[in-house]
Amino acid sequence: MDNNKEIVLSGIRSTGNLHLGNYFGALRNFVKMQDDYDCRFFIADLHALTTNPDPDELHANVKNIVTEYLAAGIDPEKATIFVQSDVPEISELYLLLNMHVGIGELMRTTSFKDKARKALGLKNDNTADEDDDKIEQQIIGADSNKRVNAGLLTYPTLMAVDILIQKAHKVPVGKDQEQHLELTRRFARRFNSFYHTDLFPEPTNYNFGAAAVKVPGLDGSGKMGKSEGNCLYLIDDEKVLRKKVMRAMTDEGPKEPNSPVSLPVQNLFTLMELTSKPEVVRNFKDAYANCSIRYGDLKKQLAEDILAITLPIRERILELRNDDAYIGRVLREGGERARYYAAQTLREAKEIMGIRKFY
Ligand code: TRP
């Protein structure tokens, strides 16, 4: 890896398979970045533990995601691909950094409040501020079956360490992770100023600019997401994918020329803009404008154009899945490289904090 390149780091929790949202929102751009940056991509299996997954599934999912990264074009000759738990220095620095992190600032994090509500079985109407007190009381009073685990609270510390231990400059993440990145910058600044050091660079979000896209779901809702249950997966076979697209929500169709486009139909157009040729999109938009559109035809075309992208990836996934030796080699080598950098940063941090050997 070239030492003069800026360091880019991104992680993904090992839950489930990758979908078109991951592909167009992140993966496709990661592939383009490999040549220009010192890219380090990792699977956040420790973060996945915050929601207490089935132990038999945790690393099955790690394997899935690594396989899907590779199949989509992440090249281990160019980028470092590793598993978070293969770098124990992360866990050690996480303990150390927590000494400078406030419980209050963690409790005020939006993602924590959402997850705490879920763990306590509260409604997720994230509106009223006065209900912060109520959540806090419930967290403190919760019995052991409904506890909010401390790992959820310190999730942002762990994420900050992922980033800071690699001294990453750029972190390509979506909107939902911006607050975590803001905390990372705050923790870096705090550490640097407390110890009068410049150990940690302050990372910024890597903005894909025009390439940044929000991939909609097929159920008329906003975004494609694992928790929405509206995903088209890279691993979906032809039949499954066609079926999902054909079932996509639409509306009754335009009644008069140049009608406004409803959200579910706009979502289909947006997917089409990502996957189909411009003239194809234009034809269907014209057909919408003059009321001759047939949603069945649009969906058939959309399914074909999505499959043209996902099927070759699916084939590579199926091939790679059987090659444990290769995947093992990629992760061992990536892990070693990530550890080399992490160990160096940890050594510096300990020295700075006063954990110095006198014996
Ligand atoms: N929290 C991120 C997510 O849920 C995953 C993540 C963990 C991450 N550590 C990271 C992303 C470090 C970027 C950098 O999507």
Side-chain angles (χ1 to χ4, degrees):
M1 307 289 127
D2 181 340
N3 281 334
N4 296 318
K5 288 181 178 169
E6 277 197 304
I7 297 167
V8 168
L9 177 86
S10 196
I12 182 162
R13 265 172 305 146
S14 49
T15 52
N17 289 96
L18 297 182
H19 50 76
L20 274 194
N22 300 125
Y23 181 75
F24 287 112
L27 212 42
R28 185 179 61 156
N29 296 310
F30 291 175
V31 172
K32 288 190 207 138
M33 292 163 86
Q34 303 180 104
D35 293 309
D36 301 327
Y37 297 94
D38 173 352
C39 288
R40 306 176 193 177
F41 301 122
F42 74 99
I43 323 293
D45 59 339
L46 299 177
H47 276 107
L49 283 175
T50 57
T51 48
N52 305 133
D54 181 323
D56 291 329
E57 278 171 22
L58 182 68
H59 271 210
N61 280 328
V62 169
K63 183 180 165 187
N64 277 344
I65 293 180
V66 175
T67 308
E68 291 172 354
Y69 265 32
L70 295 169
I74 306 269
D75 179 354
E77 300 289 323
K78 297 178 182 165
T80 302
I81 306 167
F82 66 100
V83 181
Q84 191 180 27
S85 62
D86 279 340
V87 184
E89 289 78 5
I90 292 172
S91 302
E92 194 172 343
L93 187 60
Y94 159 72
L95 182 144
L96 298 175
L97 188 65
N98 262 330
M99 306 306 168
H100 289 278
V101 171
I103 299 172
E105 58 192 340
L106 293 175
M107 286 189 76
R108 286 191 297 274
T109 308
T110 314
S111 61
F112 173 72
K113 288 196 279 187
D114 288 348
K115 287 172 185 165
R117 277 197 201 90
K118 219 177 240 169
L120 293 169
L122 300 177
K123 267 208 261 77
N124 222 349
D125 56 355
N126 188 353
T127 45
D129 261 347
E130 74 258 28
D131 109 344
D132 281 8
D133 289 344
K134 225 169 58 199
I135 298 175
E136 199 180 313
Q137 284 312 312
Q138 299 226 27
I139 290 173
I140 292 171
D143 61 39
S144 53
N145 322 319
K146 268 196 177 169
R147 70 195 175 275
V148 177
N149 76 56
L152 275 181
L153 182 67
T154 54
Y155 186 113
T157 315
L158 183 58
M159 177 158 162
V161 168
D162 293 330
I163 297 167
L164 299 177
I165 208 165
Q166 300 289 336
K167 297 189 181 175
H169 305 105
K170 299 232 154 72
V171 182
V173 285
K175 259 204 151 38
D176 61 326
Q177 298 296 315
E178 253 162 31
Q179 194 177 27
H180 289 151
L181 201 55
E182 188 54 51
L183 283 171
T184 303
R185 283 193 285 271
R186 201 201 289 171
F187 299 160
R189 270 197 302 276
R190 186 179 296 160
F191 185 99
N192 288 348
S193 86
F194 187 89
Y195 294 108
H196 308 292
T197 171
D198 58 1
L199 181 67
F200 297 130
E202 282 183 41
T204 54
N205 195 345
Y206 183 91
N207 195 333
F208 294 122
V213 285
K214 195 169 117 188
V215 181
L218 293 172
D219 52 356
S221 76
K223 198 178 141 181
M224 186 175 291
K226 269 180 264 194
S227 46
E228 317 335 299
N230 61 3
C231 293
L232 299 171
Y233 291 101
L234 295 179
I235 191 67
D236 281 343
D237 68 26
E238 276 187 69
K239 219 170 124 197
V240 167
L241 198 134
R242 275 210 188 90
K243 208 182 220 168
K244 285 183 182 174
V245 174
M246 294 315 288
R247 276 203 206 127
M249 192 170 156
T250 53
D251 56 22
E252 288 169 354
K255 298 272 183 303
E256 34 190 286
N258 302 312
S259 305
V261 181
S262 68
L263 182 62
V265 174
Q266 180 52 49
N267 285 349
L268 294 181
F269 280 136
T270 304
L271 276 170
M272 214 171 208
E273 279 161 1
L274 287 168
T275 53
S276 306
K277 291 201 184 81
E279 59 267 27
V280 173
V281 183
R282 202 168 338 108
N283 284 342
F284 281 102
K285 285 197 165 167
D286 289 347
Y288 185 91
N290 67 29
C291 302
S292 68
I293 192 161
R294 287 171 30 186
Y295 290 143
D297 293 346
L298 178 143
K299 288 173 175 180
K300 254 187 219 143
Q301 178 73 44
L302 179 60
E304 288 322 301
D305 293 338
I306 291 175
L307 283 167
I309 295 170
T310 58
L311 276 191
I313 298 179
R314 175 184 149 81
E315 266 160 40
R316 281 198 296 276
I317 295 173
L318 295 179
E319 265 168 47
L320 282 165
R321 255 190 198 170
N322 297 320
D323 200 346
D324 282 354
Y326 174 69
I327 293 179
R329 195 164 69 237
V330 167
L331 290 181
R332 267 194 306 280
E333 284 172 10
E336 267 167 37
R337 206 148 46 206
R339 256 197 108 169
Y340 170 82
Y341 297 118
Q344 198 167 318
T345 311
L346 177 64
R347 222 179 298 121
E348 291 171 310
K350 286 170 81 171
E351 168 69 27
I352 289 167
M353 293 177 84
I355 304 179
R356 301 171 189 148
K357 285 228 185 284
F358 59 89
Y359 47 90

